[in-house]
Amino acid sequence: MTDDAVPGAGANRFSGPNDLHLHSNHSDGTQAPAEVVRQTHAYGIRTLALTDHDRSTGWDEAAEAAASLGMTFLPGMELSAKYEWRSVHVLGYLFDPDDGALRAETDRIRGDRIGRAERIVRNIGRDYDLVWADVLAQTAGDATVGRPHIADALVARGIVSDRSAAFDGILHPREGYYEPHYAPDPLTAVNLITGAGGVAVIAHPVTSGRDRMMPIPFIERLIDAGLGGFEIDHRENTEQGKKILRELAVKRDLIVTGSSDYHGAGKPNLPGENTTSDVMVTRIIERATGSEPRYA
């Protein structure tokens, strides 16, 4: 890619490699935003997006750390949604964090997550030595409490060995402790992000078999409503699913991203294990109107 093809060549320009899906302890990551940035830099990434679940509170800390390392920071978020029984996550980039409709929805989602987490802990507490205070001890500041924090509490109590064991066992729906939580449908999520001037990208959309993928006709509705693209290069996506969505992305001229979904010690994912091309980052920046990248 030439300098002329990069937005703002000169003072305002980004450089790759680019990782556009990372989490801090403002949601379910294990590191502060600045540490996430430092770790990402250590793995060779030069443009990143912090995409905590349903909140943007880590942006300023991450942006400051990125600037100190000569990196470009793209403000982002991972918005919770639900289609029928499927959990769907919609990445939003460069939206206006003060947009009233989007903020009201994220407040509602986070509020319900706390109540849901309390219900799960009460359920588990009937059979295991776990109380709400154990979970709060694993939560940083005002981070939204979720199942990963319950998993960390189970680890701290010595009930399970790690987060993966918690999700494969006690926190799996088949064990009977699971409780549902509120989330908007994906169409509403896309409309909220685009209405706030952002670019909406479906996160890890094809994680295990076609039965878990949203039906193509519904995905087409999301595209017609303004969906920007798909996060295709992600360790949890199936090869068959990636092939289907790449073909659709070409057909509809969509943005295709690749990211690590880094959570610190919370997952084995490492920064830069999947990346997004400069061309696609450029398309995100050019399409967004809600906020600006923060260049070094």
Side-chain angles (χ1 to χ4, degrees):
M1 170 174 283
T2 66
D3 285 354
D4 290 342
V6 177
N12 287 347
R13 98 169 254 186
F14 73 90
S15 61
N18 316 292
D19 191 338
L20 304 186
H21 188 171
L22 304 115
H23 293 273
S24 78
N25 60 7
H26 284 234
S27 63
D28 57 345
T30 61
Q31 299 168 325
E35 181 59 24
V36 172
V37 173
R38 287 191 288 270
Q39 286 294 315
T40 304
H41 183 272
Y43 277 87
I45 296 300
R46 294 300 177 261
T47 295
L48 78 152
L50 186 69
T51 54
D52 282 320
H53 291 282
D54 309 309
R55 65 191 311 150
S56 58
T57 50
W59 286 6
D60 288 342
E61 180 183 336
E64 182 177 348
S68 72
L69 293 169
M71 304 172 73
T72 296
F73 175 72
L74 268 62
M77 179 174 69
E78 189 170 10
L79 184 61
S80 303
K82 187 181 296 183
Y83 178 77
E84 297 177 341
W85 52 270
R86 303 167 180 85
S87 177
V88 177
H89 291 173
V90 185
L91 293 160
Y93 298 109
L94 297 169
F95 58 87
D96 177 4
D98 295 319
D99 179 81
L102 181 57
R103 174 164 286 192
E105 190 70 358
T106 55
D107 286 347
R108 181 182 179 186
I109 294 169
R110 293 198 310 273
D112 191 72
R113 276 186 180 275
I114 294 173
R116 176 246 200 159
E118 290 178 322
R119 295 191 298 272
I120 292 175
V121 171
R122 283 198 298 270
N123 294 343
I124 294 173
R126 293 196 299 264
D127 299 320
Y128 296 92
D129 184 17
L130 186 75
V131 296
W132 185 240
D134 296 327
V135 177
L136 292 180
Q138 302 300 319
T139 308
D142 67 343
T144 303
V145 182
R147 289 196 303 156
H149 303 104
I150 300 173
D152 291 343
L154 290 167
V155 173
R157 277 289 192 178
I159 298 170
V160 298
S161 59
D162 54 32
R163 273 192 185 182
S164 294
F167 278 99
D168 289 341
I170 292 172
L171 291 177
H172 195 284
R174 67 171 175 266
E175 296 299 312
Y177 304 113
Y178 181 85
E179 294 280 346
H181 67 88
Y182 168 76
D185 67 274
L187 188 59
T188 297
V190 168
N191 284 333
L192 286 168
I193 291 168
T194 58
V199 179
V201 173
I202 300 294
H204 40 70
V206 283
T207 55
S208 58
R210 294 201 60 170
D211 63 320
R212 293 192 61 87
M213 186 173 76
M214 290 183 290
I216 293 296
F218 184 73
I219 293 175
E220 294 270 12
R221 285 185 62 197
L222 296 179
I223 297 168
D224 292 340
L227 177 68
F230 308 118
E231 182 187 58
I232 292 181
D233 290 319
H234 184 286
R235 65 158 60 200
E236 296 177 12
N237 285 335
T238 65
E239 291 304 316
Q240 179 192 27
K242 289 192 286 188
K243 180 177 183 295
I244 293 168
L245 292 187
R246 284 191 197 282
E247 292 172 354
L248 182 57
V250 170
K251 174 184 173 185
R252 298 298 299 268
D253 190 28
L254 302 178
I255 294 166
V256 171
T257 69
S259 304
S260 66
D261 198 1
Y262 177 66
H263 282 69
K267 284 186 176 182
N269 310 41
L270 294 176
E273 65 179 44
N274 288 293
T275 58
T276 301
S277 72
D278 286 3
V279 170
M280 294 300 173
V281 175
T282 299
R283 289 184 61 176
I284 290 172
I285 293 171
E286 291 178 341
R287 180 166 175 155
T289 60
S291 60
E292 295 289 333
R294 305 190 191 181
Y295 300 99

